[in-house]
Amino acid sequence: MPRLFNIPTLWVLLIASMGCQEETIVPDTSRLGADFFPMEKGLYWEYEVDLTTYNLLDSMPSHYFLREVVADTFTDLSGSLSYRLERFSRESAEVDWQLDSVWTARLSTSQAVRIENNVPFIKLTFPLAEGKEWNGNALNNRGEETYQVSGLGLALEVGDTTFENTLTILQREVLDTIVFQDVRREYFAKEIGLVKKEFIQLNYCSTEECFGQKIIDSGRKLYMELVAHGKE
């Protein structure tokens, strides 16, 4: 004889089935490496910056502090959650912060993107892996540039602070000091974000009189290190 279920039992099974169907599984993006690029309203980072701008006649050094704040969130034209990054600068702790610029960022399960001066750059792609490469300019028209993950999981000393779990993004490694030097590296720490940046682009004098003498025609060097971070 076939087995029959009574009415109360059928209702229990039906309700349990509906509950299972409605359950939403939220992906753990931290396992992908997204916690190297934390984004949440109220987060802030403060950096000490040394910038030197060069021309053929002179070099102009400057020293200042930069503060970046996740001021708000919004939905962009593609329907993605984006973050408004308000950037402030000041020459010393004795003066007030002045608004410098507004950038944006977005984070998904596949990549972390920053829009800097209206130019989008793919800063990280997930899942992270040592040696992984991608085109950092895939979302803009600046030409292909291969970014590479290096030093994944290594400790890094920045100023007086040691960050135990970091990675380095090698954006460009042209070490030539004869014609054009282009070295760009960004360092990220787990659950903190960007902790250090190096940006060097130098054009060297290449005329017959000065070729090979490492005389800088134009360019700039920028070194940026994290000095404070937290949540407002």
Side-chain angles (χ1 to χ4, degrees), residues 9-23:
T9 302
L10 289 174
W11 274 110
V12 170
L13 293 174
L14 179 60
I15 293 172
S17 175
M18 293 174 62
C20 292
Q21 291 175 0
E22 294 175 357
E23 182 180 358

Side-chain angles (χ1 to χ4, degrees), residues 148-177:
Q148 183 183 68
V149 177
S150 177
L152 180 61
L154 296 182
L156 176 69
E157 186 173 317
V158 179
D160 297 328
T161 303
T162 299
F163 299 98
E164 297 298 332
N165 192 344
T166 72
L167 62 84
T168 304
I169 301 300
L170 306 177
Q171 298 179 345
R172 198 71 170 167
E173 291 283 301
V174 179
L175 301 176
D176 175 36
T177 57

Side-chain angles (χ1 to χ4, degrees), residues 98-157:
Q98 300 293 322
L99 182 64
D100 176 84
S101 56
V102 176
W103 292 358
T104 61
R106 61 178 180 266
L107 182 66
S108 70
T109 56
S110 62
Q111 60 188 17
V113 178
R114 277 171 65 99
I115 296 85
E116 304 175 353
N117 296 319
N118 296 319
V119 180
F121 297 96
I122 303 175
K123 297 295 186 176
L124 303 174
T125 62
F126 309 122
L128 292 169
E130 180 71 22
K132 184 177 183 179
E133 297 181 345
W134 66 93
N135 178 13
N137 285 342
L139 301 178
N140 63 53
N141 59 3
R142 293 195 170 191
E144 183 173 344
E145 285 192 342
T146 301
Y147 288 11
Q148 183 183 68
V149 177
S150 177
L152 180 61
L154 296 182
L156 176 69
E157 186 173 317

Side-chain angles (χ1 to χ4, degrees), residues 36 44 55 62 78 84 98 125 159 162 175 214 228:
F36 282 90
Y44 71 87
N55 59 46
S62 63
S78 68
R84 175 185 169 92
Q98 300 293 322
T125 62
T162 299
L175 301 176
K214 298 183 180 181

Side-chain angles (χ1 to χ4, degrees), residues 168-170 173 175 183-187 196-198:
T168 304
I169 301 300
L170 306 177
E173 291 283 301
L175 301 176
V183 178
R184 284 172 274 151
R185 308 184 186 106
E186 293 186 341
Y187 304 79
K196 183 178 178 180
K197 178 176 180 176
E198 300 170 349

